[in-house]
Amino acid sequence: MDESGYAEPISRLVGPGERVLAYAKANVGGGLTPPPPPEPTPTADPGRPTVGSVLLNVLMPVVTWDAGDRLVDLIGWGIAGRGAAGSAASRMHRAITPDVVLRHTVLAATDRRLVVCRSGPVKLLARRADEERALAETTVAWSASRAEIASARVGWHRLNPKRLRIDFTDGSWLTFTVPIAESGRPLRDVAAALTR
């Protein structure tokens, strides 16, 4: 799906008088992310990873343990975000965590806030009508005021020179990337717009 097609849906989703300064289609960076916000019902503590659980997780990826998944992500991808459960990065990550349907994530910097949008369901081999429907079903998944954003910058992470890191004033942060073959300019534009 062409990224320029998101201009109209994003402008429709922002408030009256709010100007869209930049936007970019991106994915949450690979690696460890902040824990999810606390759930209303108590959940069991997954415990510490054991060598056996990590080894089994690597050898049999269908059988998973939460602690083993976190360790494999750390070793394989590094750290994609930090923050306490319920922090801005935690809430943002929870809002865009993939469901069973493929959707695009679009970051938009406006003159008032950071807006994270999710497209409608996307098909891998989509026709024009499918793409238009996905664009029309774009919604706001999460947003934060400009006052909540401490900084934003694009830099290298491992072999990817196009990783956007958004730091929040509560000390949490989350990263976004685009595939190596795609331009990093939209991410740099979003970073520049957020730090004005």
Side-chain angles (χ1 to χ4, degrees):
M1 185 179 304
D2 182 21
E3 190 171 315
S4 63
Y6 283 102
E8 192 277 324
I10 292 170
S11 63
R12 179 176 37 84
L13 294 171
V14 297
E18 189 173 9
R19 288 183 316 117
V20 177
L21 304 174
Y23 66 91
K25 185 171 76 171
N27 300 311
V28 173
L32 284 182
T33 55
E39 296 291 331
T41 57
T43 59
D45 181 22
R48 297 178 57 100
T50 63
V51 173
S53 68
V54 172
L55 186 58
L56 186 59
N57 198 337
V58 171
L59 297 175
M60 295 179 59
V62 175
V63 180
T64 62
W65 282 273
D66 191 42
D69 284 346
R70 288 193 309 270
L71 188 58
V72 169
D73 283 347
L74 176 62
I75 293 168
W77 298 99
I79 299 173
R82 283 232 165 103
S87 64
S90 169
R91 289 180 282 118
M92 180 183 196
H93 185 256
R94 170 61 97 196
I96 58 177
T97 299
D99 49 17
V100 294
V101 179
L102 177 64
R103 298 175 191 278
H104 291 155
T105 301
V106 181
L107 305 173
T110 74
D111 55 348
R112 298 179 192 165
R113 59 191 173 136
L114 168 65
V115 181
V116 182
C117 301
R118 299 279 284 165
S119 74
V122 178
K123 295 181 180 178
L124 290 178
L125 300 173
R127 295 185 304 247
R128 185 66 150 163
D130 296 329
E131 289 182 358
E132 289 172 0
R133 189 186 73 250
L135 285 171
E137 294 176 7
T138 300
T139 59
V140 173
W142 188 82
S143 68
S145 70
R146 296 291 291 264
E148 292 179 70
I149 298 167
S151 68
R153 63 188 176 281
V154 175
W156 278 84
H157 177 70
R158 302 209 175 175
L159 296 176
N160 191 343
K162 300 171 278 194
R163 184 171 95 150
L164 169 65
R165 176 176 162 160
I166 301 173
D167 291 277
F168 296 96
T169 54
D170 65 2
S172 65
W173 55 274
L174 193 61
T175 62
F176 293 87
T177 61
V178 293
I180 295 285
E182 291 184 18
S183 171
R185 183 173 188 84
L187 288 180
R188 288 190 293 276
D189 291 345
V190 168
L194 288 174
T195 56
R196 285 186 190 165

